[in-house]
Amino acid sequence: QVSVALKEGRVTPTELCQRCLALIKSTKFLNAYITVAEETALKQAEESEGRYKRGQPLGILDGIPVAVKDNFNTAGIETTCASNMLKGYISPYNATVVQKLLDQGAVLLGKTNLDEFAMGSGSTDGVFGPVRNPWSYTKQYKEKSVPKFHSEDQESNWVITGGSSGGSAAAVSSFTCFAALGSDTGGSTRNPAAHCGVVGLKPTYGLISRHGLIPLVNSMDVPGILTRCVDDAAVLLGALAGHDPKDSTTIQDDFKPFELPDLTDVSKLSIGIPKEYHAPGLSSEILALWSKAADLFKNAGAKVVEVSLPHTRYSIVCYHVLCTAEVASNMARFDGLEYGHRSDVKDSTESMYAATRREGFNDVVRGRILSGNYFLLKQNYEKYFVKAQKVRRLIANDFVKVFRSGVDILLTPTTLSDAAPYTEFIQEDNRTRSAQDDILTQAANMAGLPAITVPTALSERGLPVGLQFIGRSFQEKQLLTVAKWFEKQVQFPVIQLEEVKRHDSAVFQHQKSASFS
Amino acid sequence: QKVSVEVLDHLEHLALVDFRDSEGVERLQKAIQFADQLHEVNTDGVEPMDLVLEDRCLYLREDDVTEGNCTKELLENAREKVEEYFVAPPGNIPLPKLEERETFLQGS
């Protein structure tokens, strides 16, 4: 809609950019952005305006404000991964996905907050502080939250965004941008998307280039897409997918961007409900929503079957081992010599490295590096690392079997419950939380399959809950088509931010139902 | 079983990252305990999987130089450099042994 408005001249890219920048300032308490690239954004908006005036926009994304998670390299803009290790690091190049967005004319507003090095499921462990869920400040949440919280306590009642792409999710959800990039290694895009009531897409591994994305787990990382509706996600996907000679893990097949058809007949569809996803700890609310969704498909004529993915409960353990092992390797590059933080210790190279890493990494990162190194020790290699790789194959095969039996799409919950209050979340340490929260999203990363979370309904506390669809490898079109149908059926309510509404009602009116496709 | 101090020391050497305090060591213990669940799974006859795209071939491209000449940009982010070199402290000095260096493990 916004794209059409830009083309028709009802709003100009600079106006749009300025409104978004103003909104970012007034929602600063959310702590969604680490760096706001005001000058460059305005310049990009001006250039876009020039193109529209000449009647030559580069495409749908021309002039659209977007935000990028701070673990993507952006030329000339500080890239920190929310870590002391990279504070002050100005990337010399653009990640391929960032470059693709800029080539399409998108306006890069800034870099969003995350868990340090994308490790975590709350966006609470970065050095710039935790990200607050915009839904903590809505009429819907305040009305439904326990009445004993007076307005003075409001400050401590806010809920987390989920992680690790929390900043991106909060940014899209609070209307400060129209789309954002995140990364997804164990659910890092889908988890915050579900908690913030936005669409979170994890593409098939190998579809979108990882060049420029600071790696966590090379065999599972993918750039993730966060938008307000499924159509927008399809547009972003179209702009970003495709082979990249700079990333040898992208497939060489031609990718054709697609528009999503409006599905009316679901009778030929077979939806699988994996019974193992009824995990311990799943809230009864979400279980009920999941059921309702299955019924929705059934009543519309689709075939809904229960399926089994027997190794689901080992997926998180397997992930734990493989992730820490690859992290131990990937974090080895941070030694202070070529970039990033460097300690003042001068006695020897090793002691300088050790001191730099001691000063630069937080507990979570250090913990994972040490665990990873443990699993990779010669005496443990077979027992843990190779074993985990074997279990990985079993998990991937589970999916293959299910898809081969005729199921088209799997329907599962995305999270175990709605967003937790920050004070509650930090009671447990990062590893425990990740192990709990990633359970439903993780297996798709193991098997490299595409998955999307669609905001479904508000919980009893007035917070968003999303449901997840998992599709076959490289069948994003089918996956998104079904997701779009579902989105239309559930009619998820628009967020009603309280504080912000007072100041920027004009901006808000315009952007309230805005999507750019 | 608890992890021995020798192994912990070895890990600190390998990773060049320290445990910092008992919490750090506890974290590792819990992580190992958690990972031990893997042994419940029967993986006889199963090949380890490195990458989900294993069925596809990697390709080779022509051995032509297509980019480079960015010495200035690359050096910009380094803190200590001289002309076109990154400067590092002397490299042939190993990390001090457990008894001699500042580490939490000393007390164990």
PDB file of all heavy atoms in Angstrom, chain A residues 127-151:
ATOM      1  N   VAL A 127      25.179  -5.843  25.009  1.00  0.00           N
ATOM      2  CA  VAL A 127      25.777  -4.815  25.868  1.00  0.00           C
ATOM      3  C   VAL A 127      25.010  -3.506  25.858  1.00  0.00           C
ATOM      4  O   VAL A 127      25.265  -2.630  26.667  1.00  0.00           O
ATOM      5  CB  VAL A 127      27.246  -4.525  25.484  1.00  0.00           C
ATOM      6  CG1 VAL A 127      28.115  -5.691  25.808  1.00  0.00           C
ATOM      7  CG2 VAL A 127      27.357  -4.132  24.049  1.00  0.00           C
ATOM      8  N   PHE A 128      24.093  -3.359  24.914  1.00  0.00           N
ATOM      9  CA  PHE A 128      23.327  -2.122  24.875  1.00  0.00           C
ATOM     10  C   PHE A 128      22.025  -2.240  25.638  1.00  0.00           C
ATOM     11  O   PHE A 128      21.163  -1.378  25.556  1.00  0.00           O
ATOM     12  CB  PHE A 128      23.044  -1.729  23.421  1.00  0.00           C
ATOM     13  CG  PHE A 128      24.289  -1.389  22.672  1.00  0.00           C
ATOM     14  CD1 PHE A 128      24.860  -2.314  21.807  1.00  0.00           C
ATOM     15  CD2 PHE A 128      24.915  -0.173  22.847  1.00  0.00           C
ATOM     16  CE1 PHE A 128      26.034  -2.022  21.131  1.00  0.00           C
ATOM     17  CE2 PHE A 128      26.078   0.133  22.171  1.00  0.00           C
ATOM     18  CZ  PHE A 128      26.642  -0.798  21.315  1.00  0.00           C
ATOM     19  N   GLY A 129      21.861  -3.329  26.354  1.00  0.00           N
ATOM     20  CA  GLY A 129      20.655  -3.467  27.157  1.00  0.00           C
ATOM     21  C   GLY A 129      19.575  -4.243  26.451  1.00  0.00           C
ATOM     22  O   GLY A 129      19.675  -4.540  25.264  1.00  0.00           O
ATOM     23  N   PRO A 130      18.533  -4.611  27.179  1.00  0.00           N
ATOM     24  CA  PRO A 130      17.472  -5.427  26.607  1.00  0.00           C
ATOM     25  C   PRO A 130      16.516  -4.607  25.735  1.00  0.00           C
ATOM     26  O   PRO A 130      16.406  -3.391  25.897  1.00  0.00           O
ATOM     27  CB  PRO A 130      16.734  -5.950  27.839  1.00  0.00           C
ATOM     28  CG  PRO A 130      16.994  -4.941  28.903  1.00  0.00           C
ATOM     29  CD  PRO A 130      18.313  -4.308  28.601  1.00  0.00           C
ATOM     30  N   VAL A 131      15.832  -5.297  24.842  1.00  0.00           N
ATOM     31  CA  VAL A 131      14.836  -4.653  23.994  1.00  0.00           C
ATOM     32  C   VAL A 131      13.473  -4.871  24.640  1.00  0.00           C
ATOM     33  O   VAL A 131      13.177  -5.953  25.124  1.00  0.00           O
ATOM     34  CB  VAL A 131      14.827  -5.287  22.585  1.00  0.00           C
ATOM     35  CG1 VAL A 131      13.865  -4.534  21.684  1.00  0.00           C
ATOM     36  CG2 VAL A 131      16.219  -5.291  22.006  1.00  0.00           C
ATOM     37  N   ARG A 132      12.650  -3.823  24.618  1.00  0.00           N
ATOM     38  CA  ARG A 132      11.322  -3.971  25.215  1.00  0.00           C
ATOM     39  C   ARG A 132      10.296  -4.238  24.142  1.00  0.00           C
ATOM     40  O   ARG A 132      10.304  -3.628  23.082  1.00  0.00           O
ATOM     41  CB  ARG A 132      10.933  -2.676  25.949  1.00  0.00           C
ATOM     42  CG  ARG A 132      11.905  -2.335  27.030  1.00  0.00           C
ATOM     43  CD  ARG A 132      11.477  -1.109  27.788  1.00  0.00           C
ATOM     44  NE  ARG A 132      12.461  -0.772  28.800  1.00  0.00           N
ATOM     45  CZ  ARG A 132      12.179  -0.075  29.896  1.00  0.00           C
ATOM     46  NH1 ARG A 132      10.943   0.338  30.100  1.00  0.00           N
ATOM     47  NH2 ARG A 132      13.114   0.192  30.770  1.00  0.00           N
ATOM     48  N   ASN A 133       9.401  -5.110  24.447  1.00  0.00           N
ATOM     49  CA  ASN A 133       8.351  -5.447  23.509  1.00  0.00           C
ATOM     50  C   ASN A 133       7.364  -4.299  23.409  1.00  0.00           C
ATOM     51  O   ASN A 133       6.811  -3.860  24.418  1.00  0.00           O
ATOM     52  CB  ASN A 133       7.638  -6.706  24.025  1.00  0.00           C
ATOM     53  CG  ASN A 133       6.761  -7.344  22.973  1.00  0.00           C
ATOM     54  OD1 ASN A 133       6.187  -6.659  22.137  1.00  0.00           O
ATOM     55  ND2 ASN A 133       6.658  -8.660  23.015  1.00  0.00           N
ATOM     56  N   PRO A 134       7.107  -3.767  22.191  1.00  0.00           N
ATOM     57  CA  PRO A 134       6.161  -2.659  22.066  1.00  0.00           C
ATOM     58  C   PRO A 134       4.788  -2.978  22.617  1.00  0.00           C
ATOM     59  O   PRO A 134       4.060  -2.098  23.067  1.00  0.00           O
ATOM     60  CB  PRO A 134       6.070  -2.397  20.562  1.00  0.00           C
ATOM     61  CG  PRO A 134       7.158  -3.164  19.950  1.00  0.00           C
ATOM     62  CD  PRO A 134       7.684  -4.144  20.921  1.00  0.00           C
ATOM     63  N   TRP A 135       4.422  -4.263  22.608  1.00  0.00           N
ATOM     64  CA  TRP A 135       3.123  -4.645  23.119  1.00  0.00           C
ATOM     65  C   TRP A 135       2.996  -4.431  24.634  1.00  0.00           C
ATOM     66  O   TRP A 135       1.906  -4.475  25.166  1.00  0.00           O
ATOM     67  CB  TRP A 135       2.814  -6.100  22.773  1.00  0.00           C
ATOM     68  CG  TRP A 135       2.445  -6.268  21.330  1.00  0.00           C
ATOM     69  CD1 TRP A 135       3.293  -6.408  20.278  1.00  0.00           C
ATOM     70  CD2 TRP A 135       1.128  -6.262  20.763  1.00  0.00           C
ATOM     71  NE1 TRP A 135       2.594  -6.498  19.100  1.00  0.00           N
ATOM     72  CE2 TRP A 135       1.266  -6.417  19.375  1.00  0.00           C
ATOM     73  CE3 TRP A 135      -0.159  -6.166  21.308  1.00  0.00           C
ATOM     74  CZ2 TRP A 135       0.171  -6.457  18.511  1.00  0.00           C
ATOM     75  CZ3 TRP A 135      -1.248  -6.217  20.456  1.00  0.00           C
ATOM     76  CH2 TRP A 135      -1.074  -6.366  19.071  1.00  0.00           C
ATOM     77  N   SER A 136       4.121  -4.188  25.326  1.00  0.00           N
ATOM     78  CA  SER A 136       4.036  -3.900  26.763  1.00  0.00           C
ATOM     79  C   SER A 136       3.332  -2.579  26.983  1.00  0.00           C
ATOM     80  O   SER A 136       2.873  -2.289  28.074  1.00  0.00           O
ATOM     81  CB  SER A 136       5.421  -3.750  27.395  1.00  0.00           C
ATOM     82  OG  SER A 136       6.337  -4.636  26.880  1.00  0.00           O
ATOM     83  N   TYR A 137       3.314  -1.754  25.902  1.00  0.00           N
ATOM     84  CA  TYR A 137       2.804  -0.402  26.056  1.00  0.00           C
ATOM     85  C   TYR A 137       1.495  -0.190  25.328  1.00  0.00           C
ATOM     86  O   TYR A 137       1.152   0.906  24.933  1.00  0.00           O
ATOM     87  CB  TYR A 137       3.845   0.605  25.542  1.00  0.00           C
ATOM     88  CG  TYR A 137       5.122   0.493  26.334  1.00  0.00           C
ATOM     89  CD1 TYR A 137       6.188  -0.261  25.847  1.00  0.00           C
ATOM     90  CD2 TYR A 137       5.240   1.063  27.591  1.00  0.00           C
ATOM     91  CE1 TYR A 137       7.335  -0.412  26.592  1.00  0.00           C
ATOM     92  CE2 TYR A 137       6.380   0.916  28.337  1.00  0.00           C
ATOM     93  CZ  TYR A 137       7.433   0.184  27.835  1.00  0.00           C
ATOM     94  OH  TYR A 137       8.565   0.033  28.568  1.00  0.00           O
ATOM     95  N   THR A 138       0.774  -1.271  25.103  1.00  0.00           N
ATOM     96  CA  THR A 138      -0.474  -1.124  24.377  1.00  0.00           C
ATOM     97  C   THR A 138      -1.651  -1.117  25.330  1.00  0.00           C
ATOM     98  O   THR A 138      -1.584  -1.629  26.442  1.00  0.00           O
ATOM     99  CB  THR A 138      -0.686  -2.289  23.407  1.00  0.00           C
ATOM    100  OG1 THR A 138      -0.622  -3.506  24.163  1.00  0.00           O
ATOM    101  CG2 THR A 138       0.372  -2.301  22.346  1.00  0.00           C
ATOM    102  N   LYS A 139      -2.731  -0.597  24.822  1.00  0.00           N
ATOM    103  CA  LYS A 139      -3.971  -0.594  25.583  1.00  0.00           C
ATOM    104  C   LYS A 139      -4.358  -2.049  25.893  1.00  0.00           C
ATOM    105  O   LYS A 139      -4.772  -2.380  26.976  1.00  0.00           O
ATOM    106  CB  LYS A 139      -5.052   0.078  24.743  1.00  0.00           C
ATOM    107  CG  LYS A 139      -6.162   0.682  25.569  1.00  0.00           C
ATOM    108  CD  LYS A 139      -6.929   1.706  24.787  1.00  0.00           C
ATOM    109  CE  LYS A 139      -7.764   1.000  23.727  1.00  0.00           C
ATOM    110  NZ  LYS A 139      -8.917   1.787  23.330  1.00  0.00           N
ATOM    111  N   GLN A 140      -4.150  -2.904  24.869  1.00  0.00           N
ATOM    112  CA  GLN A 140      -4.570  -4.293  25.003  1.00  0.00           C
ATOM    113  C   GLN A 140      -3.877  -4.978  26.185  1.00  0.00           C
ATOM    114  O   GLN A 140      -4.491  -5.683  26.956  1.00  0.00           O
ATOM    115  CB  GLN A 140      -4.281  -5.069  23.702  1.00  0.00           C
ATOM    116  CG  GLN A 140      -5.167  -4.639  22.548  1.00  0.00           C
ATOM    117  CD  GLN A 140      -4.349  -4.156  21.347  1.00  0.00           C
ATOM    118  OE1 GLN A 140      -3.340  -3.495  21.502  1.00  0.00           O
ATOM    119  NE2 GLN A 140      -4.812  -4.491  20.147  1.00  0.00           N
ATOM    120  N   TYR A 141      -2.556  -4.716  26.330  1.00  0.00           N
ATOM    121  CA  TYR A 141      -1.821  -5.371  27.417  1.00  0.00           C
ATOM    122  C   TYR A 141      -2.182  -4.759  28.761  1.00  0.00           C
ATOM    123  O   TYR A 141      -2.402  -5.445  29.740  1.00  0.00           O
ATOM    124  CB  TYR A 141      -0.307  -5.258  27.169  1.00  0.00           C
ATOM    125  CG  TYR A 141       0.558  -5.875  28.233  1.00  0.00           C
ATOM    126  CD1 TYR A 141       0.459  -7.228  28.560  1.00  0.00           C
ATOM    127  CD2 TYR A 141       1.498  -5.118  28.927  1.00  0.00           C
ATOM    128  CE1 TYR A 141       1.249  -7.799  29.543  1.00  0.00           C
ATOM    129  CE2 TYR A 141       2.299  -5.685  29.901  1.00  0.00           C
ATOM    130  CZ  TYR A 141       2.173  -7.025  30.206  1.00  0.00           C
ATOM    131  OH  TYR A 141       2.969  -7.575  31.166  1.00  0.00           O
ATOM    132  N   LYS A 142      -2.252  -3.431  28.784  1.00  0.00           N
ATOM    133  CA  LYS A 142      -2.486  -2.765  30.066  1.00  0.00           C
ATOM    134  C   LYS A 142      -3.845  -3.125  30.639  1.00  0.00           C
ATOM    135  O   LYS A 142      -4.014  -3.263  31.835  1.00  0.00           O
ATOM    136  CB  LYS A 142      -2.368  -1.258  29.887  1.00  0.00           C
ATOM    137  CG  LYS A 142      -0.940  -0.837  29.694  1.00  0.00           C
ATOM    138  CD  LYS A 142      -0.756   0.651  29.781  1.00  0.00           C
ATOM    139  CE  LYS A 142       0.731   0.955  29.594  1.00  0.00           C
ATOM    140  NZ  LYS A 142       0.975   2.252  29.041  1.00  0.00           N
ATOM    141  N   GLU A 143      -4.808  -3.276  29.733  1.00  0.00           N
ATOM    142  CA  GLU A 143      -6.144  -3.601  30.226  1.00  0.00           C
ATOM    143  C   GLU A 143      -6.200  -4.990  30.822  1.00  0.00           C
ATOM    144  O   GLU A 143      -6.876  -5.242  31.805  1.00  0.00           O
ATOM    145  CB  GLU A 143      -7.152  -3.519  29.073  1.00  0.00           C
ATOM    146  CG  GLU A 143      -7.614  -2.116  28.790  1.00  0.00           C
ATOM    147  CD  GLU A 143      -8.423  -2.040  27.503  1.00  0.00           C
ATOM    148  OE1 GLU A 143      -8.643  -3.091  26.885  1.00  0.00           O
ATOM    149  OE2 GLU A 143      -8.836  -0.937  27.158  1.00  0.00           O
ATOM    150  N   LYS A 144      -5.417  -5.902  30.178  1.00  0.00           N
ATOM    151  CA  LYS A 144      -5.550  -7.288  30.588  1.00  0.00           C
ATOM    152  C   LYS A 144      -4.538  -7.691  31.655  1.00  0.00           C
ATOM    153  O   LYS A 144      -4.674  -8.732  32.280  1.00  0.00           O
ATOM    154  CB  LYS A 144      -5.353  -8.216  29.385  1.00  0.00           C
ATOM    155  CG  LYS A 144      -6.279  -7.939  28.240  1.00  0.00           C
ATOM    156  CD  LYS A 144      -7.286  -9.044  28.070  1.00  0.00           C
ATOM    157  CE  LYS A 144      -8.196  -8.786  26.911  1.00  0.00           C
ATOM    158  NZ  LYS A 144      -7.959  -9.740  25.819  1.00  0.00           N
ATOM    159  N   SER A 145      -3.502  -6.897  31.840  1.00  0.00           N
ATOM    160  CA  SER A 145      -2.483  -7.355  32.791  1.00  0.00           C
ATOM    161  C   SER A 145      -3.009  -7.197  34.200  1.00  0.00           C
ATOM    162  O   SER A 145      -3.889  -6.403  34.471  1.00  0.00           O
ATOM    163  CB  SER A 145      -1.176  -6.590  32.600  1.00  0.00           C
ATOM    164  OG  SER A 145      -1.322  -5.245  32.936  1.00  0.00           O
ATOM    165  N   VAL A 146      -2.432  -7.984  35.085  1.00  0.00           N
ATOM    166  CA  VAL A 146      -2.922  -8.037  36.460  1.00  0.00           C
ATOM    167  C   VAL A 146      -3.112  -6.635  37.035  1.00  0.00           C
ATOM    168  O   VAL A 146      -2.182  -5.850  37.078  1.00  0.00           O
ATOM    169  CB  VAL A 146      -1.928  -8.824  37.335  1.00  0.00           C
ATOM    170  CG1 VAL A 146      -2.454  -8.976  38.729  1.00  0.00           C
ATOM    171  CG2 VAL A 146      -1.662 -10.184  36.707  1.00  0.00           C
ATOM    172  N   PRO A 147      -4.309  -6.326  37.517  1.00  0.00           N
ATOM    173  CA  PRO A 147      -4.612  -4.965  37.960  1.00  0.00           C
ATOM    174  C   PRO A 147      -3.724  -4.468  39.086  1.00  0.00           C
ATOM    175  O   PRO A 147      -3.638  -3.276  39.305  1.00  0.00           O
ATOM    176  CB  PRO A 147      -6.060  -5.039  38.435  1.00  0.00           C
ATOM    177  CG  PRO A 147      -6.584  -6.321  37.943  1.00  0.00           C
ATOM    178  CD  PRO A 147      -5.447  -7.216  37.619  1.00  0.00           C
ATOM    179  N   LYS A 148      -3.043  -5.356  39.777  1.00  0.00           N
ATOM    180  CA  LYS A 148      -2.265  -4.863  40.917  1.00  0.00           C
ATOM    181  C   LYS A 148      -1.065  -4.032  40.488  1.00  0.00           C
ATOM    182  O   LYS A 148      -0.420  -3.401  41.280  1.00  0.00           O
ATOM    183  CB  LYS A 148      -1.820  -6.009  41.817  1.00  0.00           C
ATOM    184  CG  LYS A 148      -0.732  -6.895  41.250  1.00  0.00           C
ATOM    185  CD  LYS A 148      -0.313  -7.883  42.333  1.00  0.00           C
ATOM    186  CE  LYS A 148       0.987  -8.563  41.989  1.00  0.00           C
ATOM    187  NZ  LYS A 148       0.933  -9.872  41.497  1.00  0.00           N
ATOM    188  N   PHE A 149      -0.756  -4.016  39.192  1.00  0.00           N
ATOM    189  CA  PHE A 149       0.358  -3.172  38.740  1.00  0.00           C
ATOM    190  C   PHE A 149      -0.116  -1.750  38.515  1.00  0.00           C
ATOM    191  O   PHE A 149      -0.800  -1.462  37.565  1.00  0.00           O
ATOM    192  CB  PHE A 149       0.957  -3.722  37.444  1.00  0.00           C
ATOM    193  CG  PHE A 149       1.777  -4.958  37.647  1.00  0.00           C
ATOM    194  CD1 PHE A 149       1.401  -6.161  37.079  1.00  0.00           C
ATOM    195  CD2 PHE A 149       2.922  -4.918  38.418  1.00  0.00           C
ATOM    196  CE1 PHE A 149       2.163  -7.293  37.271  1.00  0.00           C
ATOM    197  CE2 PHE A 149       3.688  -6.058  38.622  1.00  0.00           C
ATOM    198  CZ  PHE A 149       3.303  -7.242  38.037  1.00  0.00           C
ATOM    199  N   HIS A 150       0.243  -0.861  39.403  1.00  0.00           N
ATOM    200  CA  HIS A 150      -0.133   0.539  39.231  1.00  0.00           C
ATOM    201  C   HIS A 150       0.750   1.180  38.195  1.00  0.00           C
ATOM    202  O   HIS A 150       1.700   0.591  37.750  1.00  0.00           O
ATOM    203  CB  HIS A 150       0.035   1.312  40.554  1.00  0.00           C
ATOM    204  CG  HIS A 150      -0.602   0.636  41.710  1.00  0.00           C
ATOM    205  ND1 HIS A 150      -1.946   0.382  41.774  1.00  0.00           N
ATOM    206  CD2 HIS A 150      -0.081   0.141  42.845  1.00  0.00           C
ATOM    207  CE1 HIS A 150      -2.205  -0.252  42.911  1.00  0.00           C
ATOM    208  NE2 HIS A 150      -1.104  -0.408  43.571  1.00  0.00           N
ATOM    209  N   SER A 151       0.462   2.428  37.907  1.00  0.00           N
ATOM    210  CA  SER A 151       1.240   3.078  36.848  1.00  0.00           C
ATOM    211  C   SER A 151       2.704   3.257  37.232  1.00  0.00           C
ATOM    212  O   SER A 151       3.569   3.308  36.392  1.00  0.00           O
ATOM    213  CB  SER A 151       0.641   4.424  36.468  1.00  0.00           C
ATOM    214  OG  SER A 151       0.384   5.159  37.631  1.00  0.00           O
TER     215      SER A 151
END
